[in-house]
Amino acid sequence: MKVLIIGLGGVTNGGKTTLAEKLKKMLPNCDIISQDDFFKPESEVETDERGFKLYDVLDALYMDEMVKSIHDWMKSPASSDVVTEDPQNTCDNLKNIDDVYILIVEGFLLYNYEPLNELWNRRFFLTLPYEECKRRRSTRVYQPADTPGYFDGHVWPMYLKYKNELEENGSNVVYLDGTKSLDELLSCVYSDIIQELKKLRE
């Protein structure tokens, strides 16, 4: 039994969750772990001097629990909640790979935490220009809600900080333009995963 761990990281509102869900429907034995499920409760998230809740930093997340969840999945992927029904659009590339299990881990801060970086088979990073990201963010409802100035004061600066760290230290990261259509992004990531599956079978 082999496992393939795919990271789908990047900017807030870049389309990570949508892309992950679409891929799950197209790939066999595929499961998703979402970083958003590991946020600390609001009472445990630090507030800065401006009154901003500092959600876009690693300290706002139970990262050790996230790593444990991935390791637990890797130990027994077949017993997880994986949907084993035949994926949509099954192509010849996907036949006879019942012994391969795929985990897509999606989140905004995946590649700046060392214990996670030992796990990836492939790493994707979605980017958006400032104006488009701000526009998309403004259409979403968050709990707690974004306070005035929060995007410019905290969200975007933290994205740039962690992206710069990644560009300095990270290798083998595939950068994706989040302004492209979902079909284009899906095609790119899907074909890349198929190549990884082929390598695993060799």
Side-chain angles (χ1 to χ4, degrees):
M1 190 172 65
K2 299 168 180 170
V3 297
L4 192 65
I5 311 292
I6 307 293
L8 202 52
V11 68
T12 177
N13 293 278
K16 301 178 294 294
T17 306
T18 306
L19 198 52
E21 294 288 353
K22 290 273 188 189
L23 286 164
K24 180 176 178 176
K25 288 177 180 168
M26 294 171 70
L27 295 163
N29 303 336
C30 184
D31 207 1
I32 299 171
I33 286 179
S34 175
Q35 189 171 39
D36 283 358
D37 294 336
F38 297 90
F39 271 113
K40 293 176 180 175
E42 189 180 353
S43 59
E44 290 182 37
V45 176
E46 281 187 48
T47 305
D48 72 4
E49 68 281 353
R50 298 164 299 179
F52 290 155
K53 281 279 178 187
L54 303 182
Y55 273 104
D56 287 55
V57 297
L58 286 167
D59 282 346
L61 296 144
Y62 293 120
M63 291 303 295
D64 51 345
E65 284 186 21
M66 184 175 176
V67 173
K68 181 180 181 302
S69 292
I70 296 170
H71 279 293
D72 288 346
W73 181 91
M74 289 169 75
K75 281 179 209 154
S76 58
S79 66
S80 68
D81 297 330
V82 172
V83 178
T84 50
E85 67 198 41
D86 289 335
Q88 299 167 356
N89 318 321
T90 300
C91 62
D92 291 337
N93 295 318
L94 293 178
K95 301 234 164 59
N96 308 316
I97 58 162
D98 294 338
D99 61 336
V100 180
Y101 287 82
I102 303 165
L103 181 65
I104 298 172
V105 183
E106 65 94 5
F108 72 111
L109 260 185
L110 298 182
Y111 310 133
N112 306 79
Y113 188 67
E114 206 49 50
L116 277 180
N117 284 335
E118 304 155 11
L119 304 176
W120 311 117
N121 292 95
R122 291 300 276 153
R123 302 197 289 175
F124 299 94
F125 189 94
L126 279 149
T127 63
L128 280 177
Y130 166 82
E131 290 294 347
E132 176 61 14
C133 185
K134 189 171 185 177
R135 184 192 69 73
R136 290 189 191 182
R137 177 94 182 189
S138 69
T139 66
R140 293 271 296 275
V141 177
Y142 289 90
Q143 287 299 329
D146 282 359
T147 50
Y150 188 68
F151 181 84
D152 289 314
H154 177 61
V155 176
W156 189 253
M158 287 300 102
Y159 162 67
L160 293 179
K161 172 184 182 286
Y162 286 115
K163 181 170 174 273
N164 288 339
E165 272 182 27
L166 176 62
E167 287 167 347
E168 284 172 21
N169 308 315
S171 57
N172 299 323
V173 178
V174 179
Y175 290 90
L176 301 169
D177 178 356
T179 62
K180 288 192 170 167
S181 73
L182 179 59
D183 284 346
E184 279 182 275
L185 294 169
L186 199 55
S187 173
C188 171
V189 177
Y190 178 76
S191 58
D192 204 316
I193 293 173
I194 295 299
Q195 292 306 313
E196 288 299 311
L197 287 170
K198 283 181 180 170
K199 282 187 215 166
L200 270 184
R201 294 167 69 193
E202 283 165 5

